[in-house]
Amino acid sequence: MARVTAAPVAVRGSGTCLVAVVAGHELTAFVSAALESAGARPADADLTAEVLVAADLAGAARHGVVRLLPYVQGLLGGTINGAARPEIVRRYGDVTVIDAHHGLGQPALAFAVDQAVEQARVHGSSVVSVQHSRHVGMTAWYSGRAARAGAFGVITTRAAASAGGAGALREGAVTSQFLMCLSRGAAGSVRPPVPAVPAGAAAVRPRLTLPVAVLDELVRIAALVKVAPVRALDRRRPTRSEHP
């Protein structure tokens, strides 16, 4: 259960709406539980939740937990295949084509990034195309995944138009992604070592601010998929707001 406490903080474009502060790791656990209960594989639910919450932490709210409802609707309605596993269907040298089989977009694109990095280590560069995917969220997250593996990645995505205005996503919308990756080292080079995590860094747990209206929607989602709801301990108006 995500523990929620409200605080008077600045929220871009919030105006007079109510806001609350949520522990990021607890919100991630809630989103993962909701996706799994709706039919996603556990590992896919975990990764998708990580990407959604990362978007909110980075200030890219349109790709954050506001997307959870259409994901859940798609899983429950069958337009998103919760059991799908991304599959390599073609490979031509350093070019790879992956079929996401209409599953969640985040696991499919993460798989594509890993494949692109591996091929770039062999060939120096690589290209990966993902077909029959769904919304993938914040593409910067995947560029970061490639960077942590020692490569430079550029990602483009093509999606059907969203329905319902800003923040809305038709759960049946099919997307495709195109990824180009360059290895930092020469062809056949060994993966660079992962930087050591500073002592005590694991204990740092970020918090994020969400409009209470979004938290209310998460509560409705919890009831829909029968998981522990997000609990608002307090709700207040922010002391100020920033212009969009």
Side-chain angles (χ1 to χ4, degrees), residues 29-44:
F30 165 76
V31 173
S32 177
L35 291 169
E36 184 177 351
S37 181
R41 295 192 304 126
D44 291 348

Side-chain angles (χ1 to χ4, degrees), residues 106-130:
Q106 286 82 353
L109 188 50
F111 176 78
V113 169
D114 295 344
Q115 291 298 314
V117 170
E118 291 300 324
Q119 290 300 303
R121 291 196 191 116
V122 175
H123 301 285
S125 64
S126 65
V127 174
V128 177
S129 173
V130 182

Side-chain angles (χ1 to χ4, degrees), residues 50-132:
E50 179 183 344
V51 178
L52 291 179
V53 175
D56 279 309
L57 288 168
R62 288 187 63 183
H63 294 296
V65 297
V66 70
R67 299 282 184 169
L68 181 58
L69 179 58
Y71 286 14
V72 167
Q73 290 173 333
L75 288 164
L76 293 176
T79 56
I80 297 178
N81 181 3
R85 295 175 183 267
E87 176 188 10
I88 297 173
V89 292
R90 298 184 189 87
R91 177 164 281 165
Y92 310 98
D94 59 352
V95 178
T96 303
V97 179
I98 293 173
D99 192 334
H101 295 296
H102 301 279
L104 288 165
Q106 286 82 353
L109 188 50
F111 176 78
V113 169
D114 295 344
Q115 291 298 314
V117 170
E118 291 300 324
Q119 290 300 303
R121 291 196 191 116
V122 175
H123 301 285
S125 64
S126 65
V127 174
V128 177
S129 173
V130 182
Q131 303 174 345
H132 307 130

Side-chain angles (χ1 to χ4, degrees), residues 109-110 112-118 120-121 126 139-155 179-184 191-192:
L109 188 50
V113 169
D114 295 344
Q115 291 298 314
V117 170
E118 291 300 324
R121 291 196 191 116
S126 65
T139 54
W141 187 91
Y142 306 93
S143 298
R145 186 181 181 97
R148 290 188 294 273
F152 172 76
V154 177
I155 301 163
L179 168 64
M180 296 178 289
C181 197
L182 299 174
S183 176
R184 289 181 184 174
R191 176 176 177 174

Side-chain angles (χ1 to χ4, degrees), residues 9 26 52 77 92 172 192 212:
V9 294
E26 294 181 354
L52 291 179
Y92 310 98
V212 166

